[in-house]
């Protein structure tokens, strides 16, 4: 099998350019950046009843895996948590966004 | 000029193959558990709304392909086809739902994709038993090594931040509480090890044995000290540490003179080693 020199050099360039772009082009942690255990990013979820008291729930019944902080959980999570009995308001907060939903 | 046409001893990449196969097997089982949860109704986070939802049948297919491919790679039977099947299947799964993404899954998919071209079954495999050992192309190994270097480099770079450097993040991840003063030096040592010794030192002949010991120490400390995700971190270590022999045995990147053909390599494809 011939040696695809251009392909090899192109792959090597991509191996370093993709994580570099992921690191500098947006707020870490980001996908494809190999930013393991950087300590960055956070996710705060609050489920309240109609009196403003916290409603307990089991995260294992909602999430398929421990929630990754780079995912935009404001998109679908509030509606899902509104299905918890007693939930009246759900707030999902990430470093780059906050969404509050009245159930 | 890189010497991409080199052929080298197959044993180091065979060791990498075995480690990657074990990592792939663990990752497959992890992915099966995750996808089963999605199929059972846990919150899905597809990349886009038109991606089909995860079904129980599809999860079984992923499990069957992943386990079969991993075992084939481990035994060195149909390695290239198995590696391609694993990479395509798990690569697709990584795009299926945002929750399937993780760095240790991605690195195994990428390394096994390169492994498909490495002829790694020419040593320590069922198909190589009783056959004369033949050399293998070096360029897939080069891609595996540079990929690992990129992983360590950016893992270290991303830790240079206000949360990790003071040790605050590390303190929250520990399996056992350690004295407070330990965390900051530990954080700095982690970054130095990842960026200096592993991303760079593995390529430097004078440093590579130190880098290998440091890398093994890093992965061992990750496994023993971090409280969560131990199984995933075992897979991560199995994907990384078995690649170290590629650095130890790699040929020089420079052109050799006629009197110095370099270690364990020729320019001709697939000769038999004496």
């Amino acid at each position: 099998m011939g040696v695809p020199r251009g392909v090899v050099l192109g792959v090597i360039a991509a191996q370093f350019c993709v994580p570099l772009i992921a690191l500098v082009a947006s707020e870490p942690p980001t996908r494809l950046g190999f930013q393991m255990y950087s300590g960055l990013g956070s996710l705060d979820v609050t489920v309240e009843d109609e009196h403003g008291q916290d409603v307990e729930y089991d995260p294992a019944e909602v999430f398929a895996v421990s929630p990754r902080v780079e995912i935009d959980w404001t998109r679908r999570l509030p509606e899902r948590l509104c299905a918890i009995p007693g939930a009246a308001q759900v707030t999902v907060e990430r470093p780059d966004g906050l969404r509050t939903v009245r159930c | 000029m890189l010497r991409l046409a080199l052929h080298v001893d197959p044993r180091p990449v065979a060791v990498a193959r075995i480690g990657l196969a074990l990592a792939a097997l663990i990752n497959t089982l992890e992915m099966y558990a995750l996808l089963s949860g999605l199929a059972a109704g846990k919150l899905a986070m597809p990349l886009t709304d038109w991606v089909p939802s995860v079904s129980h049948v599809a999860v079984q297919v992923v499990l069957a392909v992943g386990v079969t491919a991993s075992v084939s790679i481990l035994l060195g039977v149909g390695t290239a086809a198995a590696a391609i099947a694993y990479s395509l299947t798990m690569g697709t799964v990584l795009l299926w739902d945002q929750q399937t993404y993780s760095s240790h899954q991605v690195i195994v998919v990428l390394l096994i994709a390169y492994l498909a071209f490495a002829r790694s079954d020419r040593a320590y495999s069922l198909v190589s038993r009783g056959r004369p050992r033949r050399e293998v192309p070096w360029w897939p190994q080069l891609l595996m090594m540079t990929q690992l270097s990129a992983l360590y480099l950016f893992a270290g770079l991303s830790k240079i931040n206000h949360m990790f450097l003071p040790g605050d993040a590390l303190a929250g991840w520990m399996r056992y509480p350690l004295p407070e003063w330990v965390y900051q030096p530990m954080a700095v040592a982690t970054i130095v090890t990842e960026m200096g010794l592993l991303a760079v030192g593995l390529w430097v002949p004078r440093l590579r044995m130190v880098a290998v010991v440091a890398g093994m120490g890093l992965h061992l400390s990750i496994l023993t000290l971090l409280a969560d995700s131990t199984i995933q971190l075992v897979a991560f270590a199995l994907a990384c540490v078995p690649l170290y022999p590629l650095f130890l045995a790699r040929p020089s990147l420079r052109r050799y003179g006629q009197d110095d053909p370099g270690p364990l390599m020729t320019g001709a494809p697939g000769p038999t080693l004496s």
Side-chain angles (χ1 to χ4, degrees):
Chain A
M1 181 165 43
V3 182
R5 178 178 294 272
V7 173
V8 170
L9 297 179
V11 170
I12 292 173
Q15 288 172 345
F16 288 87
C17 288
V18 171
L20 180 63
I21 292 169
L23 185 66
V24 301
S26 57
E27 192 73 22
T30 51
R31 300 161 68 87
L32 302 177
F34 296 127
Q35 298 157 1
M36 301 96 78
Y37 288 91
S38 66
L40 295 174
S42 61
L43 173 68
D44 291 315
V45 180
T46 308
V47 183
E48 297 171 307
D49 63 17
E50 58 186 12
H51 305 296
Q53 301 296 310
D54 286 350
V55 174
E56 296 292 322
Y57 69 98
D58 182 4
E61 292 182 358
V62 177
F63 301 103
V65 66
S66 180
R68 299 182 61 83
V69 292
E70 77 270 14
I71 296 176
D72 181 9
W73 293 103
T74 61
R75 188 159 64 95
R76 288 186 168 209
L77 183 57
E79 285 78 6
R80 177 58 176 258
L81 294 178
C82 272
I84 296 172
Q89 178 171 292
V90 176
T91 302
V92 176
E93 183 174 8
R94 305 174 66 238
D96 60 351
L98 178 147
R99 184 171 170 229
T100 299
V101 171
R102 295 287 302 174
C103 302
Chain B
M1 182 71 75
L2 286 173
R3 310 185 71 200
L4 299 181
L6 290 173
H7 282 68
V8 295
D9 188 322
R11 288 172 293 185
V13 77
V15 171
R17 185 196 83 229
I18 292 167
L20 284 170
L22 294 171
L25 190 57
I26 294 172
N27 284 358
T28 298
L29 299 177
E30 180 200 1
M31 201 64 91
Y32 174 72
L34 193 163
L35 293 175
S36 295
L38 295 179
K42 292 185 179 178
L43 178 61
M45 294 294 289
L47 281 171
T48 62
D49 290 335
W50 53 263
V51 173
S53 57
V54 177
S55 68
H56 286 291
V57 173
V59 175
Q60 298 300 325
V61 171
V62 169
L63 177 68
V65 173
V67 169
T68 304
S70 301
V71 172
S72 297
I73 295 168
L74 178 65
L75 299 176
V77 179
T79 305
I84 291 170
Y86 181 89
S87 299
L88 290 177
T89 302
M90 292 303 171
T92 303
V93 170
L94 289 172
L95 298 174
W96 207 351
D97 190 283
Q98 295 180 69
Q99 296 168 92
T100 61
Y101 176 89
S102 67
S103 293
H104 74 279
Q105 291 276 2
V106 170
I107 193 69
V108 170
V109 167
L110 290 171
L111 290 172
I112 286 186
Y114 308 139
L115 191 77
F117 303 95
R119 311 281 175 88
S120 61
D121 56 358
R122 289 187 176 176
Y124 308 142
S125 72
L126 289 183
V127 298
S128 68
R129 292 179 66 186
R131 294 186 182 181
R133 186 171 295 136
R134 297 174 63 205
E135 293 185 330
V136 295
W138 180 64
W139 64 265
Q141 299 182 31
L142 175 65
L143 291 181
M144 295 168 80
M145 289 187 284
T146 50
Q147 185 65 72
L148 190 64
S149 296
L151 170 97
Y152 283 133
L153 176 65
F154 287 96
L157 271 176
S158 66
K159 290 184 177 71
I160 303 175
N161 65 66
H162 66 284
M163 284 298 295
F164 190 87
L165 263 178
D168 300 348
L170 268 179
W173 298 330
M174 290 291 116
R175 188 188 305 274
Y176 316 104
L178 300 175
E180 283 296 322
W181 61 267
V182 166
Y183 294 119
Q184 187 165 28
M186 190 184 288
V188 173
T190 300
I191 294 169
V192 169
T193 300
E194 288 183 335
M195 292 182 62
L197 286 173
L198 296 176
V200 177
L202 281 170
W203 292 94
V204 181
R206 287 181 188 170
L207 294 177
R208 59 190 173 191
M209 277 311 298
V210 176
V212 165
V213 172
M216 293 173 71
L218 175 73
H219 284 281
L220 189 62
S221 66
I222 288 172
L223 291 176
T224 54
L225 295 178
L226 297 189
D228 296 328
S229 307
T230 302
I231 299 298
Q232 292 91 330
L233 292 170
V234 167
F236 181 55
L238 285 168
C240 296
V241 174
L243 267 64
Y244 293 173
L246 300 181
F247 291 91
L248 295 176
R250 74 164 175 82
S252 171
L253 300 178
R254 295 172 301 171
R255 287 190 180 281
Y256 285 83
Q258 285 185 332
D259 297 335
D260 183 8
L264 292 170
M265 65 179 188
T266 73
T272 301
L273 285 177
S274 57

